Amino acid sequence: MTSNAESGPESGNGIVGASGPTPSLWLNLLKRSSVAAAAGLAVCTLAAAVLEGPAGALSSTAGGLLVMLFFGISLLVGHVMGRNNPSGAIGMFVATYFVKVVGFAAVLFVVGTPAWLHGRWFVAGAVTAVVLWQAAEIHGFSKARLQIYNDPETKETPDA
């Protein structure tokens, strides 16, 4: 079976050119995820302000910001480690996650629950931030160009 379709230009020689790895993957994910979570958190905070007043709005904001801080630290660690040791970034994610869970739990136990905090709005803000943050991260990872193999250098050969 033969095709009459033209093959077109070779990859990398056309107008678009070859695609390479995504520059600053972790910072791009941080930006995308922060914007998505902040937008959802603004809507949640507005609903809390209308239904519960300023204390509800502050509770919702506190829950969302805590989640954003929690996830943001991981992406910043990924950025720093990814530049110096890309293969070690995953190990640092695990270590950072453990430190964050223990650290945030300790802070919450020491500080306790403030009297003004509305638990339902705190959870609503946190869940909103988690869902939108994760959705933005998944979308960002799906669009990222991760170079798996080192492409060999092409050497120009003179035409004979």
Side-chain angles (χ1 to χ4, degrees):
M1 186 151 128
T2 61
S3 171
N4 62 355
E6 294 180 22
S7 62
E10 292 183 24
S11 177
N13 293 335
I15 296 171
V16 175
S19 65
T22 301
S24 186
L25 171 66
W26 306 110
L27 292 180
N28 184 32
L29 290 174
L30 179 63
K31 180 180 74 171
R32 285 172 169 260
S33 301
S34 296
V35 168
L41 187 56
V43 172
C44 187
T45 300
L46 181 63
V50 169
L51 297 173
E52 201 68 47
L58 187 58
S59 298
S60 175
T61 302
L65 288 178
L66 185 64
V67 165
M68 291 171 69
L69 176 65
F70 188 85
F71 285 129
I73 290 170
S74 294
L75 292 177
L76 288 175
V77 166
H79 172 68
V80 170
M81 287 303 298
R83 288 186 313 181
N84 301 328
N85 182 11
S87 61
I90 297 299
M92 282 306 295
F93 269 129
V94 173
T96 303
Y97 186 80
F98 178 74
V99 169
K100 288 186 309 184
V101 168
V102 171
F104 277 116
V107 168
L108 289 176
F109 283 126
V110 169
V111 171
T113 305
W116 53 265
L117 188 80
H118 287 273
R120 289 184 180 163
W121 284 112
F122 182 86
V123 171
V127 168
T128 299
V130 165
V131 169
L132 293 174
W133 186 284
Q134 292 297 305
E137 265 191 359
I138 290 169
H139 184 262
F141 271 119
S142 73
K143 299 295 180 188
R145 301 280 186 182
L146 302 174
Q147 187 169 356
I148 298 173
Y149 303 105
N150 287 332
D151 293 332
E153 296 286 329
T154 57
K155 296 181 180 179
E156 295 294 323
T157 56
D159 292 347

